[in-house]
Amino acid sequence: MCGIFAVFGLGGPAAASASSTPVQQSPGDAFRERAVALSKRIRHRGPDWSGVKVAGSSILCHERLAIVGVDSGAQPLTNADESVILSVNGEIYNHLTLRKSLREPHNFKTHSDCEVILYLYEENGPNFVHLLDGMFSFVLYDRKKDLYLAARDHIGITTLYQGWRSSDRSVWFASEMKSLHDECDRIIAFPPGHIYNSATKQTTRYYNPTWYSHVDRGIPSKADEYKPNTEQQDKEMYTALRTALERAVKKRLMSEVPYGVLLSGGLDSSLIASIAMRMRMKELEESEEDDDIKSAISSVAAWPRLHSFSIGLEGSPDLKAARRVADFLKTVHHEYTFTVQDGIDAISDVIWHLETYDVTTVRASTPMWLLSRKIKAMGVKMVLSGEGSDEIFAGYLYFHSAPSPQSLHHECISRIQNLHTSDCLRANKSTMAWGLEARVPFLDKAFLDVAMSQVPACHKATQQAPYHHRIEKHVLRAAFDDKDDPYLPDDILWRQKEQFSDGVGYSWIDGLKDTAERCVTDEEFASRAETFPHDPPTTKEAYWYRRVFEKHFPQRACLESVVRWIPRRDWGCSEDPSGRAQKAHNAAYVAPQAPAAEKHKAGDSIEKSSAKKVKG
């Protein structure tokens, strides 16, 4: 991933027309020094190289983090006659397949996985973004047509902001808001799965899977929401989940630089680490994989040992569990500890990088931000991470309170559609603050389709008919419960969810609340609605984060992109996003989490339908 910055229509229509005369300096050239300074604000995202292209009243900048095409992939990229300019942040996992699909011969200038976007545009116009399989945000400018496009990946794994300046009606784009807030009158988070076309001035959705419509169509219906799978359907479901996730991990091994895995010791990160280890140790079967998968797996040979990374307070639940997983998988494990004071000292910097005041995001991002600095210091540029699973499989403990399978399924869809405001934002900005790229296999498009279309909503519910699963994410655990060739130790595979901000050590959140009590007076909190009339904070901790946010980003335009993550209060859940605040957390320590009989029944059912096993 990288950092992108672009402005179109500098100086207004009159300036754009005047800039076509050869004797006059173009608005883009006049703005170049300022553009470089604004782009430099996100250079932490791409410390390896910087690039600028000026085209009349438009300018495109790029801050590069070199991971694929290291020797030749500097941006902005251009086509053969330099009439089309492209600035991209992201990775295109199917770039080799897309190259082969091109109808005309093209002279590729680099080994970048992103260059294929130029020629897809040349051959298809704006109607190509749905073909891309990856995580990306890009801006593209066509000089001949004076047309520009901007697009963001299907879920918003990468960050992208759009801004407008009324003085000259210019349109701005950047990977982070900090490049825009001093110049723009309005700023929004560019919507995931959409493309903007300057010719129509419309932002349209290109990613529209069938399960997005389930809310409007009332799927599952009240008549079907408690309908269980047949035994055969369960076998096919488990196999499909396992196959899709393994393939998602495989394609994300595409890298020419050292990489590792983030390992919290929870189910999600542990599964990703386990699959990555298996993929690295598996002898590639040429007949089973396409060119993109072959390329990804062949690159791992240069880095024969998989490194894993974890962080927590001394004695935290996550550190202990991560150590157990690392020993089981035989990764080269790196464990770091921090103190509550270390985290508190970092809060201001974390909020500056995150560009949000959401309590959940700040709590969880701070340890990740600290860990990312340690990882980058080791020379690692890319990590695999487990974001997205909780939204897909109803993993947050407040989901235990869902009133029905239909309600649960619709809440999962809503959470996935808003990942760009929370977990994706955290994973992207906490890591990219230090020039570290995080890849998230659970948010693979094909895996999403399997998990959201083939898994019945009632199969994701906890302690509800017809399955009465005793622990969240049962189907994911069961899909990888292979007793002959275990992916994970049993106590990890069936470990209860700990939200990252809890798992790093319970005293972390307690310390944040105590600090907020000391730094926000009762008088200040009582007048919070007057101080912050837009979205006033509801706790002293939230007040503290909001005050820091507005110190960094005082413009009102900066508030529009912030969304607060809170559980469903209409389900009777606590507003506090900590997993410990939910009733299911304490209840799990009163009753067994997953009875052996239930686990083994699930495991037995998938063993019979397992595809060929891979020895790790």
Side-chain angles (χ1 to χ4, degrees), residues 4-5 38 41-42 45 159-163 173-184 186-189 351-357 425 429 549 552-562:
I4 61 175
F5 172 75
L38 293 171
R41 293 182 181 182
I42 55 173
R45 299 182 63 89
T159 54
L160 183 64
Y161 293 83
Q162 183 175 10
F173 298 93
S175 295
E176 296 184 10
M177 185 169 62
K178 54 184 62 68
S179 293
L180 306 180
H181 71 101
D182 286 333
E183 298 284 346
C184 296
R186 186 188 176 205
I187 302 169
I188 65 166
I351 291 175
W352 183 80
H353 278 289
L354 293 178
E355 301 174 327
T356 185
Y357 50 81
L425 182 149
K429 291 183 179 178
F549 175 88
H552 293 308
F553 305 105
Q555 298 87 351
R556 182 169 177 80
C558 298
L559 298 174
E560 189 170 346
S561 65
V562 178

Side-chain angles (χ1 to χ4, degrees), residues 195-269:
I195 180 170
Y196 176 83
N197 187 334
S198 67
T200 62
K201 293 183 170 55
Q202 296 294 314
T203 302
T204 55
R205 179 182 292 281
Y206 69 84
Y207 178 66
N208 198 27
T210 56
W211 48 271
Y212 265 22
S213 67
H214 286 186
V215 177
D216 291 339
R217 293 164 58 196
I219 297 175
S221 68
K222 291 296 183 181
D224 292 337
E225 64 177 337
Y226 290 98
K227 182 180 179 181
N229 273 347
T230 65
E231 184 177 348
Q232 182 61 32
Q233 286 173 326
D234 265 354
K235 290 179 181 179
E236 293 172 356
M237 176 190 72
Y238 289 130
T239 299
L241 285 170
R242 190 167 55 255
T243 301
L245 187 57
E246 288 182 338
R247 188 170 180 83
V249 172
K250 283 182 188 179
K251 68 177 71 169
R252 282 159 181 80
L253 298 180
M254 180 179 75
S255 174
E256 297 173 13
V257 298
Y259 68 88
V261 292
L262 298 182
L263 188 57
S264 71
L267 172 67
D268 307 328
S269 65

